[in-house]
């Protein structure tokens, strides 16, 4: 399958593995863009609420219908409730609705952030939301030599692309500052035989919360996010 599908599948595999399978009730997908991940969350056992957050209102307005239940969803009613909320907002904002999220997903988001929001992101995810698991994927710059005719970056809106070492430095620094978490690294979408030393097309960091520190809770603020669509299944 194409790289973007392999990315979705890699994230689903983490969210449904033995450690978490069925235990993640509330999930947020930051930088949800065209809402391509929604269909995967809809099928996931145990999920009762999913938030889809992106800073780009136009994209959300264009694709929000993707989260609407289909006729077949009404025919095969779920045994547990499920609500999808599409919201305009930033991964850096302490919106009240993020409270209680068990899992945070950021698929190819961080490389779109300027230094300031990139610095704020860990405070929001690991200092405020404090999910059981957070999954962050980003391009692997080591792999770029395999693309011919590439501009500076793979996409015009990328602010940077990290090598594996750079990404691991960033993520290891986060777990140093937020000691509840441990992090593991994974490649997504392997290149052709003989290119193993470059790693995979995308790289994924999985942050597991290994224990709960008794730290003072950061309180969220009501109404920072702008609701775009809400659908109940
Ligand atoms: N996650 C998507 C997927 O898997 O289909 C792809 C993400 S797309 C490459 C990057 C998205 O990040 C864009 O839709 C952009 O609007 C969004 N974005 C950029 N800055 C953001 C921010 N501060 N908070 C939330 N989303 C942001």
């Amino acid at each position: 399958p194409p790289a973007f599908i392999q990315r979705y599948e890699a994230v689903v595999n983490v969210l449904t593995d033995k450690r978490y399978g069925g235990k993640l009730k509330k999930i947020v997908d930051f930088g949800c863009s065209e809402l391509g991940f929604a269909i995967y969350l809809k099928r996931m056992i145990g999920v009762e609420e999913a938030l889809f957050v992106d800073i780009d209102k136009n994209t959300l307005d264009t694709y929000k219908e993707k989260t609407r239940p289909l006729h077949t969803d009404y025919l095969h009613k779920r045994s547990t409730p499920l609500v999808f909320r599409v919201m305009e907002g930033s991964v850096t904002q302490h919106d009240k609705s993020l409270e209680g999220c068990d899992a945070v997903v950021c698929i190819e988001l961080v490389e779109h952030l300027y230094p300031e929001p990139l610095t704020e992101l860990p405070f929001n995810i690991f200092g405020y939301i404090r999910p059981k698991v957070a999954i962050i994927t980003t391009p692997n710059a080591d792999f770029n030599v395999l693309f011919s005719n590439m501009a500076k970056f793979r996409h015009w809106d990328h602010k940077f692309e990290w090598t594996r070492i750079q990404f691991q430095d960033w993520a290891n620094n986060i777990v140093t500052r937020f000691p509840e978490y441990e992090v593991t690294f994974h490649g997504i979408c392997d290149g052709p035989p003989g290119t193993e030393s470059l790693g995979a097309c995308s790289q994924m960091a999985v942050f597991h919360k290994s224990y709960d520190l008794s730290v003072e809770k950061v309180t969220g603020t009501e109404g920072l996010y702008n609701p775009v669509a809400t659908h109940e299944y």
Side-chain angles (χ1 to χ4, degrees), residues 8 29-33 36 53-56 89-91 107-109 112-113 117:
Y8 292 149
D29 178 14
F30 283 123
C32 59
S33 194
V53 179
D54 201 288
I55 209 166
D56 181 352
S90 172
V91 64
I107 300 173
E108 312 291 278
L109 163 68
H112 293 264
L113 302 178

Side-chain angles (χ1 to χ4, degrees), residues 17-214:
D17 76 7
K18 279 205 289 296
R19 198 157 177 178
Y20 300 115
K23 291 183 207 143
L24 306 171
K25 289 198 162 83
K26 182 170 175 182
I27 299 184
V28 57
D29 178 14
F30 283 123
C32 59
S33 194
E34 300 176 9
L35 293 153
F37 195 53
I39 183 165
Y40 293 85
L41 289 181
K42 186 158 99 175
R43 294 189 201 127
M44 205 173 289
I45 290 168
V47 178
E48 296 184 356
E49 186 174 0
L51 313 182
F52 299 92
V53 179
D54 201 288
I55 209 166
D56 181 352
K57 175 89 162 46
N58 280 333
T59 300
L60 296 179
D61 278 333
T62 308
Y63 293 97
K64 65 185 178 199
E65 292 304 311
K66 271 200 196 168
T67 55
R68 182 183 288 284
L70 307 171
H71 294 297
T72 50
D73 292 321
Y74 293 112
L75 288 173
H76 307 281
K77 264 295 207 189
R78 302 169 54 91
S79 53
T80 50
L82 175 66
V83 55
F84 274 3
R85 299 183 206 284
V86 181
M87 293 183 295
E88 175 196 5
S90 172
V91 64
T92 59
Q93 292 173 301
H94 294 20
D95 189 85
K96 193 88 180 165
S97 65
L98 296 168
E99 271 178 19
C101 278
D102 301 301
V104 168
V105 172
C106 302
I107 300 173
E108 312 291 278
L109 163 68
V110 290
E111 68 278 7
H112 293 264
L113 302 178
Y114 283 113
E116 202 176 313
L118 183 66
T119 306
E120 291 167 2
L121 173 144
F123 291 99
N124 206 30
I125 296 180
F126 303 101
Y128 167 55
I129 306 175
R130 295 169 63 207
K132 292 187 172 75
V133 57
I135 304 169
I136 296 182
T137 81
T138 193
N140 164 24
D142 295 322
F143 196 83
N144 285 349
V145 294
L146 295 177
F147 297 118
S148 51
N149 300 323
M150 209 189 75
K152 188 169 177 213
F153 296 130
R154 295 186 197 176
H155 186 269
W156 61 269
D157 190 46
H158 287 178
K159 310 301 185 290
F160 58 84
E161 285 169 359
W162 278 330
T163 64
R164 285 163 294 173
I165 297 283
Q166 289 172 319
F167 184 47
Q168 291 175 19
D169 275 352
W170 179 76
N172 284 324
N173 180 272
I174 289 175
V175 297
T176 306
R177 290 186 292 143
F178 299 95
E180 292 173 315
Y181 290 89
E182 51 193 39
V183 64
T184 55
F185 301 98
H186 314 264
I188 303 172
C189 192
D190 290 332
T195 63
E196 291 80 7
S197 65
L198 301 172
C201 184
S202 272
Q203 43 187 346
M204 171 169 75
V206 178
F207 298 84
H208 295 286
K209 187 156 78 174
S210 47
Y211 64 98
D212 264 307
L213 268 182
S214 54

